Amino acid sequence: MKMRSENELISLINKIREENNIPALTEDARLDDAAGKHAAYMLQTGTLSHTGRKESSFMKRILDEGYPAKAAAENVAEGAKKPEEVVKLWMNSPPHKANILHPDYRNIGVGLAPFANVGFACPSFWSVSFALAAQTQSAEKTKAPQLSAAEAPEKRLISPENH
């Protein structure tokens, strides 16, 4: 079950993106799962890290949840009690700010693991996954149809395997 803090965090991040003329991110359940499991792992181990269970990277965690990532990033934090606090921390850190404002990302997933089971106003481990999905082959064909040699005799069609 999603906590109010997670929804507020997404809203705050999207507000910042919109203020910078960057499209809002759409929440993706697979990214939520990856971020949530990582936040829980950080709480369990008491370690703030981008490396997760079994030495997993954030990209591996995202792919393992079934999200077809073309590009991705992760922000993590420890100790912030409220979404506003964690966003302020990240916006004051150039690499974390860059992840929030990266114009290519389209999806977001959030995980929160409170230190104590008291909900909204307690220190927590936070994990956010930002990602852009890779297009499937069928989507690519639909989006950009190729001409046959008869329709474009002056152009040689090259398959992706030949690049």
Side-chain angles (χ1 to χ4, degrees):
M1 183 175 154
K2 245 175 142 46
M3 292 186 212
R4 183 176 75 188
S5 298
E6 293 167 311
N7 292 326
E8 288 184 23
L9 182 60
I10 293 170
S11 293
L12 288 169
I13 288 171
N14 277 334
K15 182 180 178 197
I16 290 167
R17 289 174 64 89
E18 289 168 6
E19 288 169 353
N20 287 275
N21 298 315
I22 301 167
L25 299 166
T26 302
E27 187 174 10
D28 186 279
R30 297 165 294 184
L31 297 177
D32 282 340
D33 289 345
K37 289 174 184 176
H38 187 57
Y41 174 77
M42 291 189 296
L43 177 63
Q44 178 187 21
T45 61
T47 305
L48 179 68
S49 178
H50 291 287
T51 303
R53 189 173 313 280
K54 297 183 181 177
E55 302 298 312
S56 64
S57 67
F58 66 87
M59 183 62 89
K60 179 169 179 11
R61 292 189 294 275
I62 290 168
L63 294 171
D64 285 351
E65 292 299 332
Y67 184 90
K70 178 178 180 178
E74 176 181 70
N75 284 3
V76 296
E78 175 186 6
K81 293 180 181 179
K82 297 181 180 179
E84 297 84 1
E85 293 174 19
V86 75
V87 168
K88 184 177 179 180
L89 288 170
W90 287 335
M91 291 304 288
N92 287 323
S93 164
H96 295 97
K97 180 179 180 177
N99 289 342
I100 290 170
L101 296 176
H102 197 296
D104 290 345
Y105 298 138
R106 295 293 181 256
N107 299 115
I108 188 171
V110 176
L112 170 61
F115 289 163
N117 195 15
V118 294
F120 183 64
C122 64
S124 306
F125 280 98
W126 304 78
S127 177
V128 176
S129 298
F130 302 95
L132 173 66
Q135 292 182 346
T136 63
Q137 187 174 2
S138 61
E140 288 173 359
K141 286 181 182 177
T142 303
K143 187 175 181 183
Q146 294 183 350
L147 298 176
S148 69
E151 294 168 310
E154 70 283 357
K155 296 190 179 193
R156 193 182 100 197
L157 298 177
I158 301 172
S159 70
E161 294 81 23
N162 292 335
H163 285 174

